[in-house]
Amino acid sequence: MTTADLFLWFFAGLIPLAAMAFWLARGRAMAIETGDVRLHSRPGFYGWFSVIWLALPAIAVSFAFSVLHMFGLFTVPGPMLLAATFAAGGAGLWFSLGQIKAEFRARQAVEKVMRGLLLTAATISILTTIGIVLSVVFESIRFFKVIPIWDFITGTQWQPDTAFLIGAGRADEHVAPPLFGSVPIFAGTFMITLIAMLVAVPVGLFSAIYMSEYASHKARGRLKPMLEILAGIPTVVYGFFAAITVSPMIVEIAHSFGYEAAYTNALAPGLIMGIMIIPFMSSLSDDVIRAVPESLRDGALALGTTKAETIRHIVLPAAFPGIVSAFLLAVSRAIGETMIVVMAAGLRPNLTMNPLEGMTTVTVKIVEALTGDQEFDSAFTLSAFALGLVLLSATLILNIISTIVVRKFRQRYE
């Protein structure tokens, strides 16, 4: 019996048993409640109490056997495992039915278990984040043992072509050492992100202001779904559009003004990425602006301000923390984009301030390092973790700064 069969039989048997336990316990609780005897909790809580005592022992037993099998300590046949789990669930159901009494506090018991489940879910998310950070840190330390961290952060040349020879032990005095200067990569990342934000922030914010403050209900109902269609277009389609249509157009326009532009330039993916991010900025800003209490608008208009002055001096300051959050989400979306950059900007690390030249980003180089045919212990492969660590640190600093700014602005506004 395969693992997939075990999961199928487990849930196929557990779900009907849980439904049976709910109705059985609920019916038993309703039978106890008479004219003179009142239940402490509603009958539905007794049903959920039995479902919990049926499901949790069965899941606990299956999880314990899975852990033992994973570490090679103990292995049981599939039918025996299913029998053990359902036996544990049956024992739990028998125990829960015995607890159904008029004075039993079923609601407190169910809520206690639910609080535990919510706490477990929050703990899993936190531990997952910690695990991701630690895995990146440990692999980055291995990389920095080969390449000095100062050379990596301040280096201006990215030429890792000979790293595979060093990793294979075939390097000699005629082989040039690999260069892992990350400045060109991060410069390209910030350049393309800046171009995208220059497009997405004003267009998205102004469209949100229009839809929330000026547009009628009918117009808003038509415009917002049309705008959010952009969020459903695959990024590879945006990449095709940037490489085939926008980039040649930029080259022709640059030539008409006497400038040279490469077909793999940074301006095309930046513009298309900004268009792609407009729905995120617009939708979130629209929700935040509409959440501003209507009494603030009415008070400002009653004092004689115009609608534009009310938006500028009252609505936008009140919605500023939410707008900053939308901006950070848009920045994160732009930094993490890969396909558009690969198809329109190329793979060449280039330290320049000219957006008409080709550039690349951190995520592109991470993909390139982890999808090659080199050993995992090579410096080129490990450089992906170092790039991820620096990008993670930069994003963390940006979030801390924005949190401080939002907090001070909120205190001043209050």
Side-chain angles (χ1 to χ4, degrees):
M1 183 177 292
T2 63
T3 304
D5 294 334
L6 286 176
F7 276 106
L8 178 62
W9 284 105
F10 177 75
F11 287 105
L14 187 63
I15 293 175
L17 288 177
M20 181 192 69
F22 177 84
W23 292 108
L24 184 62
R26 183 174 181 273
R28 186 166 182 174
M30 294 177 65
I32 294 176
E33 187 174 29
T34 59
D36 298 331
V37 180
R38 302 293 297 176
L39 294 172
H40 176 273
S41 305
R42 300 305 304 157
F45 284 103
Y46 294 92
W48 285 114
F49 178 75
S50 296
V51 171
I52 291 172
W53 271 98
L54 169 70
L56 287 185
I59 295 174
V61 170
S62 62
F63 179 76
F65 279 113
S66 299
V67 172
L68 293 176
H69 177 73
M70 183 184 303
F71 289 98
L73 300 177
F74 185 71
T75 302
V76 297
M80 186 180 297
L81 175 61
L82 291 175
T85 55
F86 289 137
L93 175 60
W94 176 80
F95 172 78
S96 65
L97 293 177
Q99 299 295 315
I100 298 178
K101 300 175 183 178
E103 64 276 8
F104 179 66
R105 301 175 179 267
R107 178 171 59 85
Q108 283 83 347
V110 172
E111 291 180 350
K112 184 177 180 179
V113 174
M114 292 306 300
R115 284 195 299 268
L117 292 177
L118 295 175
L119 178 61
T120 302
T123 304
I124 290 174
S125 63
I126 295 173
L127 292 179
T128 302
T129 304
I130 295 175
I132 293 173
V133 173
L134 291 179
S135 63
V136 173
V137 169
F138 290 149
E139 296 298 330
S140 300
I141 291 174
R142 295 176 58 190
F143 173 77
F144 291 134
K145 290 180 180 179
V146 181
I147 305 298
I149 184 173
W150 184 253
D151 295 343
F152 176 77
I153 295 176
T154 61
T156 58
Q157 292 184 348
W158 182 272
Q159 297 177 358
D161 299 335
T162 59
F164 74 97
L165 295 176
I166 298 177
R170 293 185 291 163
D172 53 26
E173 64 275 5
H174 300 291
V175 177
L179 299 176
F180 290 93
S182 62
V183 174
I185 298 176
F186 284 99
T189 301
F190 295 138
M191 172 66 74
I192 295 176
T193 302
L194 177 61
I195 296 172
M197 290 299 102
L198 291 177
V199 175
V201 172
V203 176
L205 183 58
F206 291 161
S207 61
I209 293 174
Y210 171 76
M211 287 190 296
S212 61
E213 300 296 327
Y214 291 99
S216 63
H217 181 74
K218 183 178 181 180
R220 185 176 183 274
R222 293 179 178 178
L223 292 176
K224 190 169 183 178
M226 294 176 62
L227 183 62
E228 292 179 349
I229 289 176
L230 294 175
I233 299 177
T235 57
V236 67
V237 177
Y238 281 110
F240 279 129
F241 181 66
I244 297 175
T245 304
V246 179
S247 185
M249 187 184 304
I250 291 175
V251 172
E252 293 180 2
I253 295 175
H255 286 172
S256 65
F257 284 96
Y259 294 100
E260 292 292 332
Y263 280 94
T264 55
N265 55 76
L267 185 58
L271 294 176
I272 298 303
M273 197 182 300
I275 295 174
M276 180 188 68
I277 297 173
I278 286 175
F280 296 93
M281 191 71 196
S282 175
S283 180
L284 293 176
S285 299
D286 179 32
D287 295 337
V288 171
I289 292 173
R290 290 176 63 85
V292 175
E294 194 67 28
S295 59
L296 295 179
R297 299 180 178 87
D298 296 338
L301 294 174
L303 293 175
T305 62
T306 63
K307 191 174 186 63
E309 291 173 339
T310 301
I311 295 172
R312 185 171 69 253
H313 296 292
I314 303 298
V315 177
L316 291 183
F320 182 74
I323 294 174
V324 172
S325 300
F327 172 77
L328 290 177
L329 180 61
V331 171
S332 301
R333 185 71 175 86
I335 292 177
E337 179 54 42
T338 304
M339 286 303 302
I340 298 177
V341 181
V342 171
M343 301 177 68
L347 302 174
R348 182 170 67 95
N350 186 17
L351 182 58
T352 180
M353 295 295 293
N354 185 5
L356 299 178
E357 297 182 11
M359 296 180 183
T360 191
T361 61
V362 175
T363 54
V364 173
K365 283 301 176 183
I366 290 175
V367 172
E368 182 184 2
L370 293 179
T371 55
D373 56 354
Q374 300 189 43
E375 295 291 336
F376 194 80
D377 293 335
S378 67
F380 182 52
T381 304
L382 293 176
S383 66
F385 297 96
L387 291 172
L389 178 62
V390 177
L391 184 62
L392 181 64
S393 302
T395 306
L396 179 61
I397 294 173
L398 179 63
N399 289 334
I400 292 175
I401 294 174
S402 64
T403 302
I404 295 174
V405 172
V406 169
R407 185 176 301 171
K408 289 185 176 181
F409 191 90
R410 183 178 298 167
Q411 291 175 355
R412 186 181 66 180
Y413 179 76
E414 291 175 353

